[in-house]
Amino acid sequence: MSEITSRNLLRTCPLCEAVCGLELQLDADDHVTSVRGDKLDPFSQGFICPKGASFGQLDEDPDRVTEPLIRDRATDTWRTATWDEAFDYIAERFPPIVAEHGNQSAALYLGNPNAHTVAGALYVPVLIRALGTKNLFSASTADQMPKQVASGLMFGDPLRIPVPDLDRTDYLLMLGANPLESNGSLCTAPDFPGRLKALRKRGGKFVVVDPRATRTAKLADEHLFVRPGSDAYLLFGIVHTLFAEELTSVSVEANGLDELRTAALKFTPEAVAARTGVPAATIGRLARELAAAPTAAVYARIGTCTTEFGTVTQWLVDAINVLTGNLDVPGGAMFPEAAAGGITRTKPFRIGRWASRVRGLPEAMGELPVATLADEILTPGTGQVRAVVTVAGNPVLSAPSGARLDAAFAQLDFMVSVDRYVNETTRHADVILPPPRPVQSPHYDFALLQFAVRNYARYSPPLVPLGDRPSEGAVLARLGAALTGQPHTGDVLAMVDELIISGTLHKAGLADRRPELRGATSTEQRLDLMLRVGPYGEWNGGSLNLQVLLDNPHGIDLGPLRPRLPGVLITASRRVELAPEPLLDEVERMRARIGEAAPDYVLIGRRQLRSNNSWMHNVAPLVSGSNKCTLHIHPEDVAKLGLGSHAVVKSAAGTLTVPLEPTEAIMPGVVSLPHGWGHQDSEQTVARAHAGVNANVLTDDSIVDGPSGNAVFNGVPVTLIAT
Ligand SMILES: Nc1nc2c(c(=O)[nH]1)N[C@H]1C(S)=C(S)[C@@H](COP(=O)(O)OP(=O)(O)OC[C@H]3O[C@@H](n4cnc5c(=O)[nH]c(N)nc54)[C@H](O)[C@@H]3O)O[C@H]1N2
Ligand SMILES: Nc1nc2c(c(=O)[nH]1)N[C@H]1C(S)=C(S)[C@@H](COP(=O)(O)OP(=O)(O)OC[C@H]3O[C@@H](n4cnc5c(=O)[nH]c(N)nc54)[C@H](O)[C@@H]3O)O[C@H]1N2
Ligand code: SF4
Ligand SMILES: [Mo]
């Protein structure tokens, strides 16, 4: 143990991917009384958004779960339990199910906040190992899995994801992202809006492709409406033009150039114009502008991932970055180098190492698509899922065909949720294990700093002691033991950490002269070790360790992104693969559908500034004003269909009645509903009073992106009927 005493009121905001520094005030009773942006944070420089400003209200939301809850199934009522009681109950109920029906009868679902917590990064793997099931699901297959699969196939590792070099690029083509509301994703950039304004100010060009004229689109030099789900066609039109007009200037070692050219042959701008809604001349011009700009980056996010050709879209994004000579160069798309938790993969990535039981959908990164979780629970047979563990997830609201999943959870033999609320998903649990308050948790962004537009590191120690409750890491470690019938009392967390620390030291050849690790907890010691052996680490020629981060509580700037090829490539060829085989099969499917007529109406999603998926609707200031669960629809469509204030929306999966919000900011023929609403069954009082509807009642879990199995939320055919 060390002499660390640092206890300050600074911490990283854990609420979205922008990792802003916050400056908090706590009163004598440890309540957060004010929140400001941390002006001295070198990365976020004082930026804060309305969610960050509500950090205090979230931290101590009066409706949050503070003690373990056990549900009485007969009466469907909850009682509080001690931690020992809760884990004993799990240890009694869960292992017999697996003993009788095998490992595959258990499933694990991991939600989005795991990407924002130390517990998610360091201790979720304990659960995965403990359960030993192939039924591993997460929000990733409702989100970025297409990007990961594309990166895995092109660069050999699904976590080597190039990010646009926002602060230096001369030309940014952005598809399906709205960072003015979301603050960005797979591109960690605090004050994303400010960085976009700076791009324009320095004479750069910024183009947005989106079926809605978003706030981001309004900030751009140019906005192009695109038919939902057609970005892969648009990007192929650009690839085609780059080849046809001999505009390519590949500057990295790459395989598959000829195959890519051949794949793009049929996708002339003229052939894809109708399908995309973007004129052929514009597609050609985009290609020429990308090729001519001194530096350029193409960036595409959730709007394009959650579509039927999501993986192809993500592949073509980076293919264009390569073809225009912009991969791995300053101002282009670059690979960040984080201080800790970087990748240790040695073998090239593959998809489909196994398949899901019911629909045969491919595994990716050890996970199965969340779009088939309901099938696995509802379909009888060997391997049917009977018990589920969820950690920081609300799939009833976030997964496609949410109503089906709701029904599926209701028929489980047993369910445990690690979560801070009783909500639409966790209400089905037998036991809820709550995490501590965010101010009681250590914070380090193991995941998000892998995608940062500047290399940067910041650690926030807990500000408020845990008292006699466990950290979230300790909850997960103990849960891992209880689920497998292992002894679950004592300091399971310390045992887990010790195993990992000694394993890491052994690998680094340091086991015999066991060096002292700093840190007030075994979790901090693990961070210390990861920093020391990391690329800026004190045991790796640098100077970084935990103490350095504690001494610099505003965070440390580690410099602009640097070129990293070919070193980061883990492909078998050690070259960039421009035409991965599994994706060429997708091209065939696309070709067959090039002339397909668009449905009359399709549904897409949208994000709202003062929201975060499903779990920030219980804070009054976050559910007012524009944050409403309404259907955006073009006024022409309202008139054409004779609609009033509401409409009945029907899809192949379900039906909803929704209030309409006519706006010219959306393309005719497209309607948009935000997800994460539909809180009728929640025990969050504010959220229930602003319930809204669950958009995922309409999305259809029977359709997925082929290579990644990712859910399809955008481009869902719907019909609209007057109420
Ligand atoms: N139609 C449609 N659906 C979508 C999307 C879309 O664009 N359209 N987007 C998708 C995307 S990108 C995502 S990431 C998913 C999100 O999908 P999920 O992760 O399943 O959903 P969230 O709403 O983020 O749920 C987070 C849960 O974590 C809990 N929680 C919050 N903080 C903590 C914590 O510190 N510890 C623990 N243990 N629990 C915590 C909350 O109470 C909540 O229950 O939704 C997807 N669903
Ligand atoms: N305020 C807020 N911030 C968030 C979240 C939140 O819920 N609220 N969620 C967080 C999460 S989990 C994530 S993953 C990120 C996501 O961050 P972003 O990727 O920026 O997500 P969105 O804001 O939903 O922007 C997606 C855009 O895609 C457009 N779109 C829909 N369909 C298509 C299509 O087919 N093609 C194209 N080109 N565009 C399309 C939509 O109109 C929308 O404007 O945001 C994170 N940050
Ligand atoms: S932009 Fe994201 S990280 Fe920054 S204050 Fe808002 S929620 Fe927090
Ligand atoms: Mo997400």
Side-chain angles (χ1 to χ4, degrees):
M1 292 289 155
S2 75
E3 70 297 341
I4 290 164
T5 53
S6 164
R7 180 174 187 272
N8 53 52
L9 304 179
L10 298 166
R11 62 187 296 111
T12 301
C13 178
L15 302 179
C16 90
E17 297 181 41
V19 304
C20 300
L22 301 181
E23 200 184 311
L24 308 180
Q25 300 242 296
L26 271 69
D27 67 14
D29 296 323
D30 288 336
H31 304 304
V32 177
T33 53
S34 102
V35 185
R36 287 190 305 194
D38 175 6
K39 289 203 178 67
L40 297 179
D41 182 307
F43 200 21
S44 64
Q45 300 182 7
F47 182 82
I48 185 170
C49 82
K51 280 188 294 180
S54 304
F55 177 81
Q57 280 125 302
L58 279 166
D59 183 55
E60 285 192 282
D61 184 337
D63 287 341
R64 77 194 191 282
V65 181
T66 54
E67 295 167 273
L69 296 178
I70 295 180
R71 186 166 63 99
D72 180 68
R73 285 193 168 219
T75 56
D76 196 21
T77 50
W78 296 97
R79 68 176 169 89
T80 56
T82 64
W83 289 96
D84 283 341
E85 245 181 297
F87 284 114
D88 283 343
Y89 191 69
I90 295 165
E92 195 184 300
R93 297 283 306 278
F94 193 93
I97 298 174
V98 174
E100 186 179 346
H101 301 286
N103 281 4
Q104 308 312 324
S105 65
L108 178 60
Y109 174 82
L110 304 168
N112 167 276
N114 286 302
H116 301 258
T117 62
V118 165
L122 299 188
Y123 302 103
V124 156
V126 179
L127 282 188
I128 296 175
R129 270 195 303 273
L131 287 168
T133 176
K134 289 190 169 144
N135 286 309
L136 171 59
F137 302 86
S138 86
S140 291
T141 51
D143 188 345
Q144 80 287 357
M145 194 56 94
K147 182 85 223 171
Q148 288 173 322
V149 166
S151 295
L153 295 172
M154 295 179 81
F155 312 120
D157 193 304
L159 294 171
R160 302 270 193 216
I161 294 178
V163 302
D165 189 7
L166 273 190
D167 298 341
R168 292 184 288 185
T169 193
D170 297 291
Y171 190 107
L172 180 64
L173 174 61
M174 177 183 288
L175 308 99
N178 186 10
L180 264 78
E181 313 279 356
S182 71
N183 272 294
S185 181
L186 289 187
C187 177
T188 301
D191 192 13
F192 209 127
R195 290 171 199 271
L196 292 173
K197 285 179 199 150
L199 190 173
R200 292 199 57 198
K201 217 168 167 184
R202 65 176 178 265
K205 182 163 182 183
F206 173 38
V207 180
V208 167
V209 177
D210 197 301
R212 299 185 305 124
T214 59
R215 285 176 58 215
T216 305
K218 286 179 183 141
L219 188 107
D221 293 275
E222 184 175 1
H223 167 228
L224 302 168
F225 282 116
V226 66
R227 298 281 320 158
S230 70
D231 300 82
Y233 290 90
L234 172 66
L235 294 177
F236 252 138
I238 293 177
V239 172
H240 178 95
T241 309
L242 291 172
F243 280 117
E245 300 186 9
E246 297 182 11
L247 298 171
T248 60
S249 57
V250 179
S251 60
V252 296
E253 297 282 317
N255 284 337
L257 205 61
D258 287 341
E259 289 87 340
L260 180 59
R261 182 203 313 264
T262 308
L265 269 181
K266 286 249 163 62
F267 300 94
T268 61
E270 292 70 25
V272 300
R275 171 98 204 204
T276 60
V278 181
T282 308
I283 299 173
R285 175 171 57 78
L286 285 178
R288 277 170 234 125
E289 287 179 2
L290 282 165
T295 62
V298 186
Y299 165 71
R301 209 29 205 108
I302 192 92
T304 66
C305 275
T306 53
T307 61
E308 228 187 311
F309 295 114
T311 303
V312 172
T313 310
Q314 297 306 327
W315 159 45
L316 296 178
V317 163
D318 284 321
I320 294 172
N321 286 328
V322 170
L323 293 178
T324 54
N326 283 301
L327 185 76
D328 201 41
V329 299
M334 303 189 78
F335 297 95
E337 187 162 32
I343 302 109
T344 49
R345 169 182 279 275
T346 49
K347 284 206 189 110
F349 170 76
R350 285 195 298 136
I351 40 170
R353 291 171 300 169
W354 55 86
S356 69
R357 174 182 68 105
V358 179
R359 280 159 65 188
L361 294 178
E363 161 274 349
M365 297 180 72
E367 296 186 24
L368 293 172
V370 71
T372 196
L373 174 53
D375 302 316
E376 295 297 333
I377 300 172
L378 294 168
T379 314
T382 311
Q384 179 182 10
V385 170
R386 293 159 191 274
V388 166
V389 178
T390 71
V391 183
N394 192 0
V396 168
L397 295 193
S398 60
S401 300
R404 204 171 158 241
L405 202 49
D406 190 39
F409 284 149
Q411 76 161 55
L412 288 170
D413 292 348
F414 195 67
M415 178 164 162
V416 181
S417 292
V418 182
D419 205 285
R420 68 195 313 266
Y421 289 113
V422 180
N423 62 20
E424 301 73 19
T425 295
T426 62
R427 73 191 179 103
H428 295 295
D430 292 276
V431 183
I432 298 180
L433 304 169
R437 290 167 58 191
V439 289
Q440 292 176 303
S441 302
H443 190 91
Y444 186 88
D445 280 300
F446 290 103
L448 305 178
L449 294 179
Q450 312 293 334
F451 313 116
V453 298
R454 273 189 86 86
N455 294 318
Y456 156 91
R458 175 168 174 148
Y459 173 61
S460 316
L463 296 177
V464 173
L466 284 165
D468 55 7
R469 63 142 302 142
S471 67
E472 186 164 9
V475 171
L476 296 183
R478 205 173 161 187
L479 178 59
L483 290 170
T484 44
Q486 307 290 317
H488 62 83
T489 49
D491 198 345
V492 184
L493 181 79
M495 279 163 24
V496 165
D497 286 332
E498 176 50 34
L499 267 177
I500 290 170
I501 288 172
S502 45
T504 310
L505 287 172
H506 187 79
K507 256 200 223 149
L510 295 162
D512 37 347
R513 54 175 191 94
R514 166 110 195 193
E516 192 203 356
L517 292 170
R518 307 238 170 126
T521 59
S522 56
T523 302
E524 284 192 348
Q525 291 176 3
R526 276 182 66 186
L527 172 59
D528 188 35
L529 176 57
M530 290 165 86
L531 290 166
R532 286 174 191 236
V533 299
Y536 312 88
E538 119 172 88
W539 294 340
N540 208 1
S543 59
L544 218 54
N545 59 37
L546 180 67
Q547 189 66 52
V548 173
L549 290 189
L550 288 167
D551 292 342
N552 292 277
H554 302 285
I556 294 185
D557 181 36
L558 299 165
L561 305 185
R562 287 177 286 268
R564 298 190 65 202
L565 289 184
V568 295
L569 294 178
I570 307 169
T571 47
S573 60
R574 301 278 153 172
R575 294 160 72 94
V576 174
E577 294 296 343
L578 278 178
E581 198 62 43
L583 301 185
L584 295 177
D585 299 342
E586 285 290 284
V587 178
E588 285 304 315
R589 283 209 311 134
M590 278 182 63
R591 230 179 249 138
R593 293 174 52 185
I594 201 165
E596 195 178 82
D600 288 344
Y601 290 93
V602 292
L603 175 75
I604 63 170
R606 72 175 184 273
R607 274 178 169 67
Q608 297 164 304
L609 180 65
R610 280 170 293 133
S611 181
N612 194 23
N613 301 326
S614 75
W615 69 279
M616 285 185 202
H617 296 149
N618 205 45
V619 175
L622 295 183
V623 282
S624 54
S626 61
N627 246 29
K628 291 202 182 82
C629 184
T630 55
L631 189 79
H632 283 185
I633 178 167
H634 197 280
E636 277 172 19
D637 289 329
V638 176
K640 196 153 92 185
L641 296 168
L643 303 176
S645 65
H646 287 64
V648 176
V649 187
K650 281 190 182 188
S651 72
T655 304
L656 288 176
T657 302
V658 291
L660 303 183
E661 190 177 337
T663 166
E664 288 180 354
I666 194 160
M667 285 173 88
V670 181
V671 292
S672 162
L673 192 62
H675 74 285
W677 296 87
H679 301 299
Q680 290 79 2
D681 296 323
S682 172
E683 296 202 7
Q684 302 168 71
T685 44
V686 178
R688 206 170 49 223
H690 298 81
V693 293
N694 178 1
N696 284 321
V697 163
L698 297 173
T699 59
D700 184 350
D701 67 4
S702 72
I703 299 165
V704 294
D705 168 56
S708 69
N710 206 75
V712 174
F713 297 132
N714 293 324
V716 178
V718 289
T719 51
L720 296 142
I721 306 157
T723 48

